[in-house]
Structure formats: C-alpha cells, structure tokens
Amino acid sequence: MSYAFEGLSVVLTLLLAVVGFLLLWIRTAPGERIRTAITRLLDRVTGRSDLGWLSWWHLAAIAAVVYAGVVGFNVVTGAYACPGGGQESDLIGFLNSGRALLAGRNPFTVGDCGGTIPEPYGFASILISAVGSPAGIPGIAFVWGVVTVAVVPLVWRVAGPDRRYLTIFVLASPLYLPLVVTQIDGASNALIPFTVLAGLALASRGEWIAGVVGGFLSTGRFPALFPVVASFGPTRRRWTGAFIAIAVFGAVTAVTFAIWRAEFLDVVFFSQIGRRSFSLNFYEVLQQGNLLPGGSIVPVVQALLTVAVVVVAFFRARTGLWAAAFTLTAVTLLTQYLSFNLLVCLLPVALVQVRARWWFWAIGVVGALNYDVAYSDWAVVGGVYWPTEILDVVLTVLLLGLLVDLWRVRAAEAPGDPPAGAGRIAASVR
C-alpha cells in the first residue's frame, strides 16, 4: 500500500508540475497561442470566455472535497491507526495532545501508540487540536481541515486584482494540494501561511487587530512570528503593530511557560532550534559529511541572521506582502531542519510578483520529488543518499535565487499584476 501511495504522490506531483508550468507560461508573450486555446475552450464549455463567475468559495470547495475524500479514505482503510512496529501516528498524537490540554495535563509530551511522543507545537496549535479532540480522530481531521481550506479565501483576499489566477495557481501547487490536503503534518504546518496571510488581510482594518491575531497564531509555530513582525514595516503605525504582535506572542508564551515550564520550552523551542534529523536544504549534505559544527554555534548564527533579515525587511519593504515573503524565504533557507511539510510556509511568495512565482514553482517540484523519491525511497529505504544530496543543493540554489530576486525587485510590481502583453486571459481570470 505504501508503494502505491508513493507512486500516486509522484504522479500527482508531476501532473501538478505540468499544470503549474502551463499556468505560468500562458502569462508570457510566447504563451499567446495557449491563452487563445484556453479562451476558446472556456467559451465552448461555459458559454463565456472568462472566469468571472468563479469565486473563492468554488476553489475552497475543491480543496474541501479533496481533503474530505482523502481523510475519509484514510479513516476507512485505518491509515490513521497505530502503524505498529513501535511507530507513532501523528494524528493520534494531535488527538492526545488536545485531550491533555482539556484535562489540564501536559499537552507537549503525550502517549502515542504505546509510547510517548513530543508535540513541538505551541499553544495556538494545541488549542486547535483541543477544539476537535472531543470528536476523536474525525474532529482532529476536521479542525485542521478548516485551517487548510481557509488558506484559499485568505490567498484570494491578499492576492489583489489578479486573485482568480493567483488562487488557482496556489491551489494547483505541489506545496498545497498534495502536501497540505493529503497529510495531517502538512495541514498543521499550513498554520504558518494561514497566520501570515491572516495578518496581511487584517492589516487594512488596523495594526491592533492584525498584531493580536498574528501574535497569537504565531505561538502555534513560532517561526511565523518573524514574517508577521516584518510585514508591519510598510504600515503607518508599524511600531504599534510589531509591538502588539511581539507582546501577544510573549504573553501567551510566558503563561504557557508558567504552567508547564521546561516541559513546554524544551519541546517547542530548544528541541526544534537544534533539530538535525534531516533537511531538504544544504544542511543535509553537511550532516551526512559530519561537517556541521556541534554545540550552540549554528543556532546562534541562525538566530542572528534571522533577526537581521527581519530588521532589513521591516525597514526596506514597500509592501507587507514583500516583507513576509522575503522573511519566509530567508527562514526556510537558514533552518537546519527543512522538512517538506515546512515548505508550505512559502505559499505567500506566489502572490508577490511574476518572477517569484517561477522560483516558487521550481521549489515545489524539486522539494516534492526530493522528499517523495530521493529521500523517502532511495535514501531511507535503499541507503543511497547522493540523489537526495544533489537535490538538497538544487533546492538551496533555488531558495537563494528566490531570495536574491525578491531583494532585487523589492516589490516593484504590485501583488497580482499581470505582465505586459498578458492579453485576454489576464482579464478572463480576474
């Protein structure tokens, strides 16, 4: 069954790679012929040559149906049950963590399939699991499904005038459909782009509400705080928004620490900052070659560089979206534990400008193939690591290219603006 799932995941990734490429290609001058063909097809199928009838809830419904279908299949086939052999089940870990919070017990280290498992998620994530835990496994799947599907209307809200095209592009990315919709780890990490996009969407209503929501949700996955703070840079009351976000994050973290002390701090922060199990960027190559220095030197350097990135983005950004995208890219590049699930945090990058979307597309395809084939199959099962190490370097180069390109343009294009010469299809997808 696992080989069948792996094969299906690879086929889906390749299919979405082709779809994403076509979506990007039709917005270029050489794609004029494809744009014309799509316009004619729309006219024949729907009776009109545009997608003016398409709203965000249509696209959210697609994500919800796919998610419900996958969850239902997994429940029926027992995929969420304990796999045996001493392995844990992530969903059962979420369930027990939520139940522990409701019962007043430690929710950061819980029982899972006969053993114990650390739950490296902050208070906001634990609270979401607690809301769904009374309904058991279906309840956990539902609440994280809400977070997953809610990303779609948030993308629609932040994307700007070209929202139909950009939301379709994000929906068809390997970093959304197969990653977020088909596995609970992807859904839980979707809280990062959800937090960033929610803060950007609420910023128009005031820095206070954006700061409170962004700061609280960042406690679920603490790296989300960096793009949230950076995104306030271009706002009128940027110090107010940044201070509120940091204050709310700090207050919730302080209360959580006061209750669970080291049981919370070690699992959620320290164990994640120094985690070296594997990585899809260049850190994996250093780890395999025993070239990564021990001790605290690497986390300290990472922390200093991350703070520097946030400060630069805060003061240099022209838009909050650019600041968030630049910071997310830098954090993804700097982390020494870059799992495929964490790549979902890059979803806001697709909304910044045209060139960034090409980098985003390539990162999604390379990351998916690296994790699904080179790492999970060839390295873990077969013991052959050089293919995944090559793709680790490729992904690092792509992330560097995206970071440099974002810095070079610094939001020269407004979010969602189509390139010159996009033609009729540009208007048809708005």
Side-chain angles (χ1 to χ4, degrees):
M1 181 68 73
S2 61
Y3 286 108
F5 275 117
E6 290 175 5
L8 181 60
S9 179
V10 171
V11 170
L12 182 57
T13 297
L14 294 175
L15 177 62
L16 291 175
V18 173
V19 172
F21 180 83
L22 289 176
L23 286 172
L24 292 170
W25 186 253
I26 63 175
R27 306 304 292 271
T28 64
E32 177 68 37
R33 184 175 299 178
I34 299 178
R35 291 199 302 272
T36 302
I38 292 176
T39 301
R40 291 175 179 173
L41 180 62
L42 288 173
D43 189 34
R44 292 176 182 176
V45 174
T46 66
R48 52 189 302 179
S49 59
D50 58 49
L51 294 177
W53 54 271
L54 187 68
S55 186
W56 66 265
W57 65 266
H58 293 100
L59 300 174
I62 294 174
V65 168
V66 175
Y67 183 87
V70 172
V71 168
F73 177 80
N74 288 340
V75 170
V76 170
T77 59
Y80 293 141
C82 293
Q87 299 182 47
E88 300 91 2
S89 169
D90 291 329
L91 195 142
I92 291 178
F94 287 174
L95 174 63
N96 291 338
S97 179
R99 287 175 171 174
L101 180 64
L102 294 180
R105 303 191 306 270
N106 174 23
F108 302 106
T109 301
V110 296
D112 190 342
C113 297
T116 59
I117 183 175
E119 288 294 319
Y121 306 102
F123 185 78
S125 291
I126 301 296
L127 182 61
I128 292 173
S129 293
V131 171
S133 62
I137 287 179
I140 295 294
F142 175 78
V143 292
W144 285 110
V146 170
V147 174
T148 296
V149 175
V151 169
V152 175
L154 286 174
V155 168
W156 181 279
R157 173 67 179 81
V158 176
D162 208 15
R163 54 179 50 91
R164 286 181 178 83
Y165 169 78
L166 292 178
T167 307
I168 293 172
F169 177 72
V170 169
L171 190 68
S173 168
L175 297 183
Y176 183 79
L177 264 181
L179 171 57
V180 175
V181 175
T182 61
Q183 54 176 307
I184 194 66
D185 270 356
S188 62
N189 281 290
L191 186 61
I192 298 178
F194 176 89
T195 300
V196 173
L197 291 170
L200 292 170
L202 291 171
S204 61
R205 299 189 177 183
E207 289 82 1
W208 278 86
I209 186 171
V212 170
V213 172
F216 176 76
L217 291 178
S218 294
T219 63
R221 299 290 283 169
F222 73 87
L225 181 65
F226 304 130
V228 166
V229 171
S231 67
F232 284 106
T235 61
R236 289 182 301 172
R237 301 182 182 88
R238 60 183 181 181
W239 293 111
T240 300
F243 174 79
I244 292 173
I246 295 173
V248 171
F249 177 89
V252 175
T253 300
V255 171
T256 309
F257 173 74
I259 298 174
W260 288 288
R261 299 288 177 174
E263 294 176 331
F264 154 71
L265 204 62
D266 291 344
V267 172
V268 175
F269 288 95
F270 294 149
S271 67
Q272 296 303 296
I273 292 173
R275 187 170 181 176
R276 297 186 178 184
S277 53
F278 83 98
S279 188
L280 295 183
N281 56 18
F282 70 100
Y283 279 105
E284 177 70 11
V285 179
L286 299 178
Q287 291 174 25
Q288 291 298 320
N290 294 319
L291 300 175
L292 201 59
S296 60
I297 183 172
V298 174
V300 169
V301 172
Q302 288 174 322
L304 293 175
L305 289 175
T306 301
V307 171
V309 166
V310 173
V311 171
V312 169
F314 185 85
F315 286 105
R316 298 284 290 177
R318 296 173 182 171
T319 66
L321 179 58
W322 182 92
F326 184 80
T327 306
L328 285 169
T329 304
V331 169
T332 304
L333 185 63
L334 290 172
T335 181
Q336 60 185 351
Y337 174 64
L338 178 61
S339 71
F340 182 51
N341 298 320
L342 288 176
L343 284 176
V344 70
C345 73
L346 292 176
L347 287 181
V349 172
L351 310 181
V352 177
Q353 48 94 21
V354 175
R355 290 176 61 91
R357 288 193 277 280
W358 284 98
W359 292 107
F360 173 82
W361 171 81
I363 289 168
V365 174
V366 171
L369 293 178
N370 189 1
Y371 182 74
D372 290 336
V373 180
Y375 178 78
S376 298
D377 192 5
W378 295 346
V380 174
V381 178
V384 181
Y385 278 86
W386 65 263
T388 189
E389 291 177 350
I390 291 176
L391 291 179
D392 292 337
V393 174
V394 172
L395 188 63
T396 301
V397 171
L398 292 173
L399 288 169
L400 274 172
L402 172 60
L403 189 69
V404 171
D405 210 16
L406 285 172
W407 177 256
R408 187 176 62 83
V409 299
R410 280 203 301 134
E413 298 178 54
D417 278 357
R424 190 176 181 185
I425 193 67
S428 71
V429 296
R430 287 185 180 176

